[in-house]
């Protein structure tokens, strides 16, 4: 069982390294990066009571109307949560967790997913969904434009050809 976990962990690390290299080579020049928290060990992601209290207090300072709200779900890319992680270091995690930060291009904010195996997490980007959304938005933009129908058809054909090359 332990060998299987080690093999899965190695495969996930290799996959993550390949993704990181691809991001570094192709996308960092696109600009702003997003910091995403994830659990880098088996056991599952969890934050300490101290981190939860600090988050709640800081949220209340930023927005006093949230004073009595209890937070049970955290956006892993929440800048406040990331800053608390950086501030607290090891005190951020509960006893079974070890958080780390993965940098991804901000344009993928809606397209990342946290995948988990026995608590060990990786941050994966759904490039297919990202490309499909961009394709659909391109089609909508063309259809709403002031071009005549022949020009629209040419633009859509061009968009389809460019999408095939992706």
């Amino acid at each position: 069982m332990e060998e299987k976990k080690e093999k899965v962990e190695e495969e996930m690390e290799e996959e993550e390294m390949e993704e990181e290299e691809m991001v570094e080579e192709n996308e960092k020049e696109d600009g702003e990066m997003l910091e995403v928290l994830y659990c880098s060990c088996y056991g599952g992601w969890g934050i300490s009571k101290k981190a939860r209290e600090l988050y709640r207090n800081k949220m209340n300072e930023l927005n006093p109307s949230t004073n009595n709200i209890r937070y049970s779900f955290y956006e892993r890319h929440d800048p406040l949560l990331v800053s608390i992680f950086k501030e607290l270091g090891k005190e951020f995690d509960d006893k079974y967790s070890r958080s780390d930060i993965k940098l991804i291009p901000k344009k993928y904010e809606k397209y990342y997913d946290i995948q988990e195996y026995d608590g060990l997490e990786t941050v994966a980007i759904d490039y297919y969904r990202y490309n499909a959304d961009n394709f659909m938005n391109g089609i909508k933009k063309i259809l709403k434009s002031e071009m005549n129908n022949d020009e629209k058809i040419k633009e859509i054909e061009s968009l389809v050809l460019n999408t095939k090359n992706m």
Side-chain angles (χ1 to χ4, degrees):
M1 184 72 156
E2 192 65 35
E3 287 178 27
K4 183 179 177 183
K5 280 186 178 182
E6 287 177 18
K7 184 177 179 181
V8 168
E9 189 174 56
E10 285 175 23
E11 288 173 2
M12 291 174 88
E13 285 176 15
E14 286 175 21
E15 195 175 286
E16 188 174 311
M17 285 173 47
E18 288 172 10
E19 263 186 46
E20 283 177 8
E21 287 173 11
M22 193 169 87
V23 167
E24 285 174 13
E25 291 173 17
N26 301 325
E27 295 163 345
K28 279 194 177 177
E29 68 270 3
D30 286 348
E32 194 176 350
M33 299 297 284
L34 188 69
E35 296 175 308
V36 180
L37 291 168
Y38 70 100
C39 182
S40 61
C41 71
Y42 290 104
W45 191 75
I47 66 174
S48 67
K49 183 178 180 181
K50 182 176 184 176
R52 287 191 309 270
E53 288 174 357
L54 187 56
Y55 184 85
R56 187 172 32 253
N57 291 339
K58 288 187 176 194
M59 282 297 289
N60 292 339
E61 286 173 18
L62 294 171
N63 187 358
S65 67
T66 63
N67 215 1
N68 293 318
I69 296 176
R70 298 189 74 79
Y71 299 92
S72 59
F73 178 77
Y74 301 91
E75 289 286 345
R76 300 290 189 91
H77 62 273
D78 179 345
L80 177 59
L81 193 63
V82 171
S83 72
I84 290 171
F85 166 73
K86 290 176 179 178
E87 179 181 330
L88 294 180
K90 291 182 179 184
E91 292 181 73
F92 177 83
D93 297 308
D94 70 10
K95 65 182 179 178
Y96 300 109
S97 184
R98 183 177 68 233
S99 295
D100 275 316
I101 293 175
K102 166 100 178 200
L103 289 175
I104 64 171
K106 184 147 177 66
K107 68 182 182 180
Y108 296 127
E109 183 174 341
K110 297 179 191 173
Y111 303 98
Y112 79 85
D113 186 39
I114 296 182
Q115 299 175 345
E116 177 264 337
Y117 175 81
D118 278 354
L120 176 66
E121 297 178 335
T122 57
V123 180
I125 297 171
D126 188 343
Y127 295 103
Y128 177 80
R129 224 174 79 228
Y130 173 79
N131 290 331
D133 280 357
N134 281 333
F135 179 76
M136 290 303 296
N137 290 334
I139 295 287
K140 288 176 186 175
K141 184 178 177 181
I142 292 167
L143 293 175
K144 289 179 181 179
S145 73
E146 298 293 322
M147 292 184 261
N148 66 42
N149 287 342
D150 289 338
E151 292 172 323
K152 287 180 181 182
I153 289 170
K154 285 181 184 175
E155 285 294 314
I156 290 172
E157 286 173 345
S158 175
L159 183 63
V160 169
L161 288 173
N162 287 335
T163 302
K164 283 183 180 180
N165 296 328
M166 293 176 97

